[in-house]
């Protein structure tokens, strides 16, 4: 990982740690994201309630997520709490840490293709990307979806095309999903065919991933997947409006209702 702009974590920050040694009074850990600086978890901060055997909760070599209780940079002391981190926070932080490790390796690929060092790439544009997009991984993910974001944010240089290339090759954007219900009836003798044609017209109008599932007359569930909610909502409107208009114009009746969020 690239060096942090700050040498020490901030109070209340969640950090990924590796347990180095376990004593009766607490555990010493190294902070993976801060040059393996040493931190300490007092036994009272290992778990809620009385801890009889500390090794029931932590062991050497284990990866854990802790909350920073306090930092004394002059003495190099970092006090941590394991019990203050719930399972959701742990999973989210570990995933973020894995993503940033991946992004760091991707930047190394960018550097190799440019004939530069990774550190030089961080200095030239990496830290600026983090400032604009939030994290380095978010930068790669956003650029994989919208390459035009780089020039739109004012970035320029010989690295742009290579960065886009590496992003598209290695990052699969996470998708969001929304759904709703189409109610469709057609009293004509060939009404089923009209409904089918209307649904196919809706699917054809989609620019994203869309599925339409029959759930019982007269209801059909429409599911749209996209890179963000704004895009998904826009596509949902396009798909359902097309299907509704198609059926209404052929003698049927149709209406759309969004699922409650």
């Amino acid at each position: 990982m690239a060096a942090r702009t700050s040498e020490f974590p901030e109070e209340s920050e969640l950090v990924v740690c590796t347990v180095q040694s376990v004593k009766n009074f607490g555990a010493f850990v190294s902070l993976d994201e801060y040059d393996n600086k040493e931190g300490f978890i007092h036994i009272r901060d290992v778990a809620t309630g009385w801890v009889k055997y500390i090794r029931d909760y932590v062991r050497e070599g284990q990866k854990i997520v802790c909350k920073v209780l306090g930092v004394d940079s002059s003495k190099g002391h970092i006090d941590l709490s394991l019990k203050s981190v719930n399972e959701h926070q742990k999973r989210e932080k570990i995933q973020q840490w894995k993503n940033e490790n991946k992004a760091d390796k991707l930047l190394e690929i960018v550097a190799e293709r440019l004939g530069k060092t990774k550190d030089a790439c961080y200095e030239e544009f990496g830290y600026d990307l983090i400032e604009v997009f939030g994290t380095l991984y978010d930068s790669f993910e956003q650029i994989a979806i919208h390459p035009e974001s780089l020039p739109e944010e004012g970035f320029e240089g010989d690295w742009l095309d290579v960065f886009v290339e590496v992003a598209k090759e290695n990052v699969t954007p996470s998708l969001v999903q929304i759904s709703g219900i189409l109610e469709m009836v057609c009293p004509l003798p060939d009404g089923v065919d009209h409904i089918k044609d209307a649904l196919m017209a809706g699917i054809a109008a989609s620019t994203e991933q869309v599925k339409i599932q029959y759930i019982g007359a007269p209801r059909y569930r429409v599911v749209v997947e996209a890179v963000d909610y704004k895009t998904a909502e826009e596509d949902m409107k396009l798909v359902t409006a097309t299907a509704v208009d198609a059926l209404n114009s052929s003698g049927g009746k149709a209406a759309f209702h969004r699922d409650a969020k």
Side-chain angles (χ1 to χ4, degrees):
M1 293 274 298
R4 289 274 185 147
T5 53
S6 172
E7 293 185 3
F8 287 87
E10 296 181 359
E11 188 173 323
S12 298
E13 183 178 339
L14 297 183
V15 291
V16 177
C17 308
T18 302
V19 180
Q20 299 297 333
S21 64
V22 180
K23 309 296 183 183
N24 290 334
F25 54 86
F28 292 92
V29 303
S30 58
L31 278 66
D32 291 47
E33 301 158 287
Y34 289 91
D35 293 329
N36 294 317
K37 283 185 169 57
E38 185 178 78
F40 179 68
I41 313 167
H42 193 278
I43 191 168
R44 66 172 175 267
D45 294 309
V46 168
T48 303
W50 182 56
V51 176
K52 185 176 183 181
Y53 299 110
I54 189 171
R55 289 181 185 275
D56 289 341
Y57 302 91
V58 289
R59 61 186 183 279
E60 282 86 353
Q62 183 181 11
K63 290 283 185 193
I64 58 176
V65 176
C66 294
K67 183 177 182 179
V68 178
L69 297 179
V71 177
D72 187 336
S73 56
S74 62
K75 296 181 180 179
H77 291 172
I78 304 172
D79 293 318
L80 304 165
S81 171
L82 179 60
K83 72 179 183 182
S84 298
V85 181
N86 61 41
E87 279 301 313
H88 173 73
Q89 291 172 317
K90 176 183 176 181
R91 287 194 300 270
E92 194 172 62
K93 178 61 183 179
I94 288 292
Q95 187 59 55
Q96 181 190 57
W97 174 71
K98 288 179 178 178
N99 287 345
E100 287 310 292
N101 277 330
K102 178 178 180 179
D104 186 70
K105 290 180 173 64
L106 293 182
L107 191 66
E108 193 169 339
I109 295 172
V110 172
E112 289 174 358
R113 293 186 185 181
L114 290 171
K116 301 178 181 181
T117 66
K118 184 175 68 174
D119 288 343
C121 287
Y122 269 106
E123 292 297 332
E124 183 181 346
F125 55 84
Y127 292 126
D128 290 335
L129 287 170
I130 293 170
E131 185 174 345
V132 171
F133 295 104
T135 69
L136 186 59
Y137 185 80
D138 287 343
S139 303
F140 276 106
E141 189 172 54
Q142 176 69 15
I143 300 315
I145 303 165
H146 300 297
E148 69 278 4
S149 297
L150 285 174
E152 286 176 357
E153 292 292 345
F155 289 102
E156 55 185 22
D158 61 351
W159 59 273
L160 268 70
D161 289 343
V162 175
F163 193 93
V164 171
E165 182 180 78
V166 172
K168 286 185 173 181
E169 288 173 356
N170 296 278
V171 178
T172 302
S174 55
L175 299 176
V176 299
Q177 186 180 93
I178 62 173
S179 62
I181 301 296
L182 271 171
E183 294 187 358
M184 311 187 81
V185 294
C186 186
L188 300 175
D190 55 350
V192 172
D193 291 332
H194 286 295
I195 291 174
K196 181 180 178 181
D197 290 344
L199 293 174
M200 293 302 294
I203 292 173
S206 175
T207 59
E208 306 298 324
Q209 298 183 39
V210 61
K211 293 185 294 185
I212 299 181
Q213 306 159 333
Y214 176 69
I215 55 176
R219 304 169 76 232
Y220 299 81
R221 182 178 301 281
V222 184
V223 180
V224 173
E225 287 187 343
V227 294
D228 54 52
Y229 284 105
K230 180 181 178 182
T231 304
E233 293 287 358
E234 290 174 350
D235 197 66
M236 178 68 83
K237 289 178 182 177
L238 180 62
V239 170
T240 55
T242 300
V244 168
D245 289 346
L247 189 60
N248 287 343
S249 64
S250 64
K253 290 186 178 181
F256 174 69
H257 311 283
R258 275 283 274 117
D259 283 348
K261 292 184 179 180

